[in-house]
């Protein structure tokens, strides 16, 4: 069975069960959602076991379940499971513990899965909207909180606006090719003159939509606001799962569909990636709200991933530069899922009955109040900054490797400089955590689910950083690259 | 009498699209911004239906129906969020939505 069908059934089931459970038993919904994610993982595993190398096509050629899709499906499910673990206690404190939260979470994962596996623009667009509309509601889930309302409203206006522009581009591609299938669109586009204004307009509007969804500068304005105002557990979810889904969609459309146009879109991506790294890193320097700071940091990470995309766009198909760029993006998304969710889990645990906990000052003296969380937060921060042995280094390594292989030395240098820049604002959080005196003396109560979430993400971050081979192998598998020999050969 | 071709439809759709974009960017009332977004989506629909006729294929019309559904869902959620916002703040002017910045 397709995991999407299974998740939809669970989402609807949670909505029904929610009506019957008393207020103090709302954690049952979370347990149900976790079981749903687990079963969806089993479904994916079953599909993976019977998958032919070229993938399975279904639903009138609109759905392609290939290794690429399976990789992203696992990523979405892992991100969702960890987000659910961080949500339970947080929602109780916010006094907004409703089953709809988990149902919407699962439904947005259904949308993401359609985005990663869709090869028909109709399915991709519907998946995108399913994900986006669910997340508008999730961002505004704290109905009584003005910041949450405001974030949801801004996210909705800009999200719907960008979806409209995106759909306009897709409609023009339909006009050019006469089909909504990405493969047919690609073939039709490759026969076109790249100076044809309709092709250019179609490409630009589609790209505006895609860049909006991954929150690249200059289309990033919604991200810091939505991230700051949203419930913290949702901020974590949006910054990893929603972002990974947007990346899956971008790769599907720009690489599987519009590959013949890459000489047109790569220069645009170069500009966008430099703007994204510059703008996000400078904006992050002055932030005093940790959620907003991490929002800008996540925009900066998009900039690094776009660098790898530039390496892919400028090197011929199948060369090391291309493959390492692709690997870089996928590994980065995997590593980013764990380290960023871990950081957001720690921030979520700071929310107490009378403390909102998302200011940098609330971090002060965390080491005295919750030593384990503080040390693990340090690990996540170092990983985000790309310092070995934490996992973030691996992602950055592949991105810069691909840039050097495709001979973009200036871009690689720029990326490294901006990574150093990033170290400043990550260490600002660490400084506040370890060096400053705590405002409150008492120990920070951390719930069991939160402990699990922080533990899992920290383990994954460390494990991938110290022993990266399984991660690299899984990415090689998902791209169909031949696995390297297990023993390194030293050339004399 | 000039026969109406696909090109004419595209021009109308492009005009609607530009009007919608200008509307979102310049109007300060959230309801009017939502209406402008509907305008953009209707431009897309017009495009899709015109192309569908040009190619003699149905996918475009199917896509158009999906977009109508999507526009309805978006408007419903949008107005719902707007009402929740209005309850707390008593305004729908985007210039006064200024709690979150920098």
């Amino acid at each position: 069975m397709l995991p999407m069908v299974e998740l939809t059934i669970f989402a609807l089931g949670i909505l029904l069960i929610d009506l019957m459970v008393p207020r103090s038993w709302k954690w049952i919904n979370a347990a149900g959602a976790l079981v749903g994610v687990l079963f969806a993982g089993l479904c994916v595993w079953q599909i993976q076991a019977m998958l032919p190398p070229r993938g399975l096509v279904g639903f009138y050629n609109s759905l392609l379940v290939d290794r690429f899709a399976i990789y992203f499906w696992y990523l979405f499910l892992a991100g969702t499971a960890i987000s659910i673990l961080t949500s339970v206690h947080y929602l109780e404190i916010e006094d907004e513990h409703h089953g709809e939260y988990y149902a919407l979470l699962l439904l947005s994962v259904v949308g993401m899965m359609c985005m990663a596996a869709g090869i028909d623009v109709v399915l991709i667009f519907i998946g995108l909207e399913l994900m986006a509309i669910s997340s508008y509601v999730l961002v505004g889930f704290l109905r009584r909180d003005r910041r949450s309302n405001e974030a949801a409203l801004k996210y909705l206006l800009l999200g719907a606006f960008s979806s409209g522009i995106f759909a306009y581009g897709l409609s023009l591609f339909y006009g050019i090719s006469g089909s909504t299938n990405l493969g047919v669109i690609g073939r039709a586009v490759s026969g076109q003159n790249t100076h044809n204004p309709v092709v250019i307009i179609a490409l630009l509007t589609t790209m505006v939509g895609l860049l909006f969804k991954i929150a690249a500068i200059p289309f990033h304005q919604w991200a810091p606001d939505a991230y700051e105002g949203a419930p913290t557990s949702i901020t974590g979810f949006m910054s990893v799962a929603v972002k990974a889904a947007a990346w899956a969609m971008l790769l599907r459309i720009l690489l599987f569909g519009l590959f013949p146009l890459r000489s047109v879109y790569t220069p645009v991506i170069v500009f966008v990636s430099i703007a994204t790294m510059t703008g996000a890193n400078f904006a992050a320097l002055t932030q005093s709200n940790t959620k907003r700071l991490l929002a800008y940091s996540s925009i900066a990470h998009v900039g690094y991933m776009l660098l790898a995309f530039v390496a892919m766009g400028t090197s011929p198909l199948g060369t090391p530069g291309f493959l390492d760029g692709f690997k870089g993006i996928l590994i980065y998304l995997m590593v980013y899922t764990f380290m960023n969710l871990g950081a957001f889990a720690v921030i979520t645990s700071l929310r107490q009955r009378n403390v909102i906990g998302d200011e940098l000052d609330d971090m002060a003296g965390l080491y005295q109040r919750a030593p384990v969380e503080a040390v693990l937060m340090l690990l996540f921060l170092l990983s985000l900054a790309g310092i070995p042995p934490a996992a973030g280094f691996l992602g950055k390594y592949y991105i810069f490797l691909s840039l050097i292989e495709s001979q973009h030395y200036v871009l690689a240098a720029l990326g490294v400089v901006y990574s150093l820049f990033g170290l400043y604002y990550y260490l600002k959080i660490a400084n506040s955590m370890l060096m400053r005196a705590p405002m409150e003396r008492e120990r920070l109560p951390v719930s069991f689910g939160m402990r699990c979430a922080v533990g899992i993400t920290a383990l994954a971050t460390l494990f991938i950083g110290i022993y990266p081979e399984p991660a690299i192998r899984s990415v090689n598998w998902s791209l169909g690259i031949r696995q390297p020999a297990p023993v390194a050969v030293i050339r004399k | 009498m000039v026969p109406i071709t696909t090109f004419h439809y595209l021009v109308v759709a492009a005009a609607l699209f530009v009007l919608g974009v200008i509307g979102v960017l310049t109007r300060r009332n959230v309801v009017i911004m939502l209406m402008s977004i509907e305008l953009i989506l209707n431009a897309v629909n017009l495009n899709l239906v015109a192309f569908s006729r040009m190619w003699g294929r149905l996918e475009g019309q199917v896509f158009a129906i999906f977009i109508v559904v999507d526009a309805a869902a978006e408007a419903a959620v949008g107005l719902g969020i707007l009402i929740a916002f209005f309850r707390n703040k008593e305004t729908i002017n985007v210039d006064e939505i200024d709690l979150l910045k920098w």
Side-chain angles (χ1 to χ4, degrees):
Chain A
M1 186 162 65
L2 275 174
M4 289 90 132
V5 180
E6 198 268 350
L7 282 173
T8 311
I9 294 172
F10 263 86
L12 300 179
I14 289 171
L15 281 181
L16 281 180
I17 292 170
D18 181 51
L19 295 174
M20 293 174 239
V21 293
R23 269 188 96 78
S24 54
W25 284 68
K26 292 288 185 193
W27 57 268
I28 287 203
N29 295 320
L34 263 186
V35 172
V37 170
L38 213 67
F39 274 124
L42 278 179
C43 290
V44 182
W45 185 67
Q46 272 181 337
I47 295 176
Q48 182 193 343
M50 52 163 274
L51 194 72
R54 303 291 300 167
L56 295 160
V57 180
F59 294 98
Y60 294 96
N61 287 334
S62 64
L63 191 76
L64 168 67
V65 182
D66 54 0
R67 293 169 165 193
F68 175 85
I70 298 253
Y71 179 83
F72 272 98
W73 286 2
Y74 278 129
L75 217 56
F76 302 149
L77 291 174
T80 313
I82 298 168
S83 302
I84 292 172
L85 286 178
T86 59
S87 302
V88 184
H89 188 61
Y90 178 77
L91 288 178
E92 267 164 24
I93 291 177
E94 294 282 2
D95 202 21
E96 293 281 1
H97 210 182
H98 307 293
E100 290 87 352
Y101 178 92
Y102 301 104
L104 286 168
L105 213 56
L106 294 191
L107 286 176
S108 78
V109 178
V110 174
M112 289 173 198
M113 289 182 157
C114 292
M115 285 159 78
I119 49 166
D120 189 293
V121 289
V122 181
L123 184 73
I124 293 181
F125 185 75
I126 293 304
L128 168 69
E129 287 303 297
L130 180 55
M131 177 193 86
I133 293 178
S134 309
S135 45
Y136 303 150
V137 182
L138 286 173
V139 168
F141 206 76
L142 309 178
R143 287 171 300 165
R144 289 181 286 261
D145 179 20
R146 276 191 186 184
R147 292 200 301 169
S148 180
N149 293 153
E150 184 175 325
L153 197 56
K154 285 180 175 169
Y155 187 27
L156 175 114
L157 284 175
L158 292 175
F161 182 46
S162 68
S163 297
I165 297 177
F166 181 57
Y168 190 78
L170 296 183
S171 76
L172 288 182
F173 276 120
Y174 172 65
I176 292 166
S177 64
S179 166
T180 50
N181 190 287
L182 276 181
V184 181
I185 289 177
R187 255 172 278 142
V189 163
S190 68
Q192 295 276 338
N193 179 358
T194 48
H195 294 294
N196 180 347
V198 179
V199 176
I200 299 289
I201 293 175
L203 179 67
L204 284 183
T205 44
T206 308
M207 277 180 68
V208 167
L210 293 173
L211 294 174
F212 233 110
K213 295 299 173 193
I214 61 167
I217 291 177
F219 310 109
H220 69 293
Q221 288 93 344
W222 61 272
D225 287 350
Y227 283 20
E228 186 185 340
T232 315
S233 47
I234 286 305
T235 311
F237 177 72
M238 283 195 8
S239 69
V240 299
V242 172
K243 184 154 286 181
W247 265 101
M249 175 174 78
L250 184 137
L251 292 172
R252 274 278 189 225
I253 290 183
L254 291 187
L255 288 182
F256 289 67
L258 306 180
F259 195 70
L261 291 177
R262 66 179 184 152
S263 61
V264 186
Y265 63 67
T266 309
V268 183
I269 300 273
V270 174
F271 165 74
V272 171
S273 70
I274 294 175
T276 305
M277 288 188 302
T278 313
N281 278 310
F282 277 100
L285 291 180
T286 55
Q287 298 305 322
S288 63
N289 181 300
T290 35
K291 274 158 89 176
R292 209 171 177 79
L293 196 159
L294 285 182
Y296 277 112
S297 114
S298 96
I299 297 173
H301 286 288
V302 168
Y304 304 135
M305 284 186 261
L306 282 174
L307 282 184
F309 195 81
V310 171
M312 287 165 76
T314 49
S315 40
L317 205 61
T319 53
F322 183 87
L323 291 180
D324 282 331
F326 213 154
K327 268 157 84 174
I329 292 178
L330 294 194
I331 288 188
Y332 210 103
L333 283 170
M334 179 206 296
V335 166
Y336 184 72
T337 299
F338 292 115
M339 61 191 184
N340 215 38
L341 267 180
F344 273 111
V346 174
I347 296 177
T348 311
S349 69
L350 290 176
R351 174 79 170 103
Q352 301 298 329
R353 286 262 170 238
N354 43 10
V355 188
I356 297 178
D358 61 358
E359 290 295 322
L360 212 49
D361 293 336
D362 295 319
M363 278 276 176
L366 188 67
Y367 183 68
Q368 273 97 35
R369 298 177 61 205
V372 180
E373 273 76 16
V375 169
L376 293 183
M377 183 72 179
L378 184 66
L379 170 73
F380 298 133
L381 291 174
L382 290 180
S383 181
L384 283 167
I387 294 187
F393 173 72
L394 185 69
K396 288 225 167 69
Y397 167 76
Y398 269 104
I399 284 174
F400 297 139
L401 179 70
S402 71
L403 281 173
I404 287 168
E405 277 167 347
S406 56
Q407 293 169 345
H408 293 294
Y409 301 115
V410 180
L411 282 181
L414 212 61
V416 173
V417 169
Y418 279 126
S419 310
L420 282 178
F421 238 86
L423 199 56
Y424 168 74
Y425 52 80
Y426 293 127
L427 288 185
K428 209 163 82 173
I429 302 182
N431 171 44
S432 160
M433 224 165 48
L434 301 176
M435 313 278 225
R436 282 171 57 184
M439 305 245 222
E440 294 174 60
R441 283 283 147 207
E442 80 234 49
R443 284 183 72 83
L444 189 75
V446 181
S447 70
F448 174 71
M450 193 69 75
R451 270 178 216 277
C452 288
V454 176
I456 293 169
T457 48
L459 265 181
T461 309
L462 258 186
F463 181 78
I464 299 175
I466 293 172
Y467 183 57
E469 199 178 321
I472 296 171
R473 279 183 172 266
S474 69
V475 171
N476 279 342
W477 174 84
S478 76
L479 296 178
I481 303 171
R482 205 163 49 83
Q483 302 286 1
V487 180
V489 182
I490 300 168
R491 292 206 193 107
K492 285 193 177 153
Chain B
M1 192 70 182
V2 186
I4 294 178
T5 59
T6 309
F7 178 74
H8 294 91
Y9 285 106
L10 294 190
V11 171
V12 175
L16 273 179
F17 177 74
V18 173
L19 281 177
V21 172
I22 292 174
V24 174
L25 295 179
T26 59
R27 298 309 288 262
R28 301 279 64 125
N29 182 311
V30 176
V31 178
I32 294 183
M33 288 171 83
L34 284 172
M35 283 159 65
S36 303
I37 291 169
E38 299 292 305
L39 219 51
I40 295 178
L41 290 175
N42 281 330
V44 175
N45 281 343
L46 202 55
N47 252 353
L48 285 171
V49 175
F51 282 133
S52 169
R53 209 181 101 110
M54 182 180 96
W55 287 100
R57 295 198 198 170
L58 279 180
E59 289 116 320
Q61 298 187 25
V62 174
F63 198 176
I65 289 174
F66 273 118
I67 286 187
V68 170
V69 173
D70 166 59
E74 228 159 38
V77 170
L79 292 176
I81 291 175
L82 188 59
I83 288 172
F85 179 79
F86 186 75
R87 278 198 185 136
N88 284 334
K89 186 123 182 182
E90 309 257 310
T91 178
I92 52 169
N93 186 332
V94 282
D95 286 333
E96 292 168 44
I97 306 179
D98 53 2
L99 226 51
L100 303 167
K101 55 192 166 197
W102 269 107

